């Protein structure tokens, strides 16, 4: 085996270091760098760029809350059914009416509970997630129109 002492990336001559931007990463040093816009020609923005907007964090947390509610509704009931089946067999085999054991009744109730989880998911989407997503979508359209007129 031979040792190759040459660097694995092209040599970049020393120069002024650009200002630190936490949202860009110099992943590919061979990629061409964009030329900065002249300072006099750029209009100041009224709001932060969409990628750095706090509404995206709000949307993510609302969507996360929505998933948790729906998931815990369906899985919580199913886990309760499994725990009762494993640790309370006498309760699950007791009869509610003539010939209908409690375990079978609880198993049949799983279908409406799943429908309830779906209904909760849709309701929280309409009430919490969709308005935030619509607001972000409208803001993105406005940003795109503003960029198009420049």
């Amino acid at each position: 085996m031979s040792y190759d002492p040459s660097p694995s990336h092209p040599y970049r001559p020393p120069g002024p270091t650009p200002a630190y931007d936490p949202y860009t990463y110099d992943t590919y040093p061979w990629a061409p760098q964009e030329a900065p816009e002249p300072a006099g020609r750029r209009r100041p923005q009224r709001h932060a760029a969409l990628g750095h907007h706090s509404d995206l964090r709000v949307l993510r947390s609302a969507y996360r809350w929505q998933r948790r509610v729906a998931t815990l509704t369906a899985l919580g009931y199913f886990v309760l059914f499994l725990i009762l089946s494993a640790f309370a067999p006498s309760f699950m085999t007791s009869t509610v009416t003539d010939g209908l054991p409690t375990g079978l009744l609880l198993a049949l109730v799983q279908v409406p509970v799943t429908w309830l989880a779906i209904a909760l998911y849709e309701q929280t989407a309409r009430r919490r997630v969709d308005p935030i997503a619509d607001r972000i979508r409208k803001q993105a359209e406005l940003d795109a129109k503003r960029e198009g007129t420049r």
Side-chain angles (χ1 to χ4, degrees):
M1 278 193 170
S2 65
Y3 174 72
D4 184 14
S6 64
S8 61
H9 55 84
Y11 174 74
R12 187 179 302 168
T17 58
Y20 176 71
D21 184 9
Y23 300 105
T24 59
Y25 301 100
D26 191 18
T27 308
Y28 304 105
W30 58 86
Q33 300 292 325
E34 292 183 19
E37 284 188 33
R41 299 178 73 192
R42 190 172 185 185
R43 293 188 312 194
Q45 291 183 345
R46 290 184 189 162
H47 53 81
L50 185 63
H52 314 299
H53 207 274
S54 64
D55 280 346
L56 291 175
R57 284 191 298 266
V58 172
L59 178 64
R60 279 193 300 266
S61 66
Y63 183 60
R64 202 176 304 129
W65 186 85
Q66 173 195 20
R67 286 187 319 226
R68 285 180 186 151
V69 167
T71 303
L72 290 177
T73 302
L75 287 180
Y77 182 81
F78 186 67
V79 168
L80 175 70
F81 177 74
L82 290 177
I83 289 172
L84 287 174
S85 297
F87 296 110
S90 59
F91 172 73
M92 296 296 275
T93 56
S94 64
T95 56
V96 178
T97 61
D98 282 337
L100 182 65
T102 308
L104 181 60
L105 180 66
L106 291 176
L108 292 174
V109 171
Q110 180 67 40
V111 173
V113 167
T114 304
W115 290 340
L116 174 70
I118 293 169
L120 279 172
Y121 188 84
E122 290 178 354
Q123 179 189 20
T124 55
R126 271 189 242 109
R127 222 199 278 150
R128 297 176 189 255
V129 178
D130 289 348
I132 299 169
D134 289 339
R135 187 172 62 231
I136 291 173
R137 189 177 300 114
K138 287 176 185 175
Q139 188 66 43
E141 289 172 0
L142 286 174
D143 287 345
K145 286 180 184 177
R146 285 185 190 132
E147 290 295 322
T149 60
R150 287 187 184 178

